Amino acid sequence: MSGLVAGHPVIANILRRWDEIALPDACLTGSIIAQARWNEVFGFDPHHGIADADIVYFDPGDLSDEAEKRAELRIEALFGDLPVRVDVKNQARVHLWYAAKFGHAIDAYRSLADAIGTYPTTAAAVGLRQRAKLEIIAPFGLADLLHPRVRANATQITEAYFAKKVARWQRYWPDLEILSWSEAASRPSRTI
């Protein structure tokens, strides 16, 4: 894992400047980590297929849209030199907008790890942050990420949503092992 982190120009850049992010309980998460691994394994350019970098944080003390927008604008300016868009979301407020975007309500997350445990695939359900050492949050472990293998996390997504994502991934990474929906996982216990 440390080779992937140090070897990917965007991931390494973000983690090198981690202290400047200054958001509560923050992590670099999601598809950039999985897709960087896929590029490494299949010999693609490090930026191949990567559209954004997700920086998430957990601040239940301020659930306002305005606070999240301020954080996003600040982080976008901080990483304006990156070749990908930076997306910033307060995971403590996702339940406030989720139904409008995805058609069904969810419970409020209890922690950042709880939120990461709902990400659409087990390979992308990984959070990284650089403190005194690299810290990893991986509710499903790292096996699917490192293999690399895509396994749906059926906690919140539908089979149709997964199929739409799979179509994109197969265009960019045709040799990627993608497990069928029937082999989907679901979020580990909420006691994370």
Side-chain angles (χ1 to χ4, degrees):
M1 189 68 183
S2 61
L4 172 65
V5 169
H8 192 272
V10 174
I11 294 173
N13 189 321
I14 291 172
L15 292 178
R16 185 173 44 255
R17 300 174 354 191
W18 193 253
D19 289 342
E20 297 174 56
I21 291 172
L23 290 171
D25 198 16
C27 276
L28 173 66
T29 64
S31 61
I32 189 171
I33 298 167
Q35 292 167 3
R37 175 63 180 159
W38 303 343
N39 288 340
E40 179 183 64
V41 169
F42 298 118
F44 290 117
D45 177 87
H47 305 295
H48 174 79
I50 297 175
D52 62 13
D54 296 312
I55 295 177
V56 299
Y57 65 103
F58 195 80
D59 184 2
D62 190 343
L63 300 181
S64 70
D65 184 51
E66 295 77 20
E68 185 179 83
K69 282 190 186 341
R70 280 192 309 274
E72 184 163 37
L73 289 172
R74 184 177 61 79
I75 300 303
E76 283 175 347
L78 177 64
F79 293 113
D81 59 321
L82 296 179
V84 298
R85 181 177 54 83
V86 177
D87 188 29
V88 178
K89 294 285 183 271
N90 180 359
Q91 298 296 288
R93 67 179 304 275
V94 170
H95 66 286
L96 299 175
W97 54 260
Y98 195 91
K101 184 170 182 177
F102 292 104
H104 63 278
I106 61 169
D107 293 333
Y109 299 134
R110 297 178 182 175
S111 67
L112 187 64
D114 186 31
I116 292 170
T118 69
Y119 284 17
T121 71
T122 57
V126 175
L128 305 174
R129 61 180 154 217
Q130 187 68 52
R131 294 190 173 159
K133 63 178 187 158
L134 179 67
E135 295 181 9
I136 302 171
I137 297 172
F140 296 98
L142 297 173
D144 285 345
L145 171 66
L146 297 176
H147 184 272
R149 170 179 37 242
V150 175
R151 180 187 318 270
N153 175 7
T155 300
Q156 289 175 183
I157 66 167
T158 63
E159 185 174 2
Y161 180 84
F162 181 64
K164 181 179 172 185
K165 292 292 215 178
V166 164
R168 179 188 184 276
W169 298 327
Q170 288 176 323
R171 281 194 317 272
Y172 283 96
W173 300 278
D175 295 326
L176 184 61
E177 180 183 356
I178 300 174
L179 301 180
S180 69
W181 180 256
S182 66
E183 298 177 81
S186 60
R187 178 174 53 183
S189 166
R190 287 192 62 136
T191 59
I192 296 173

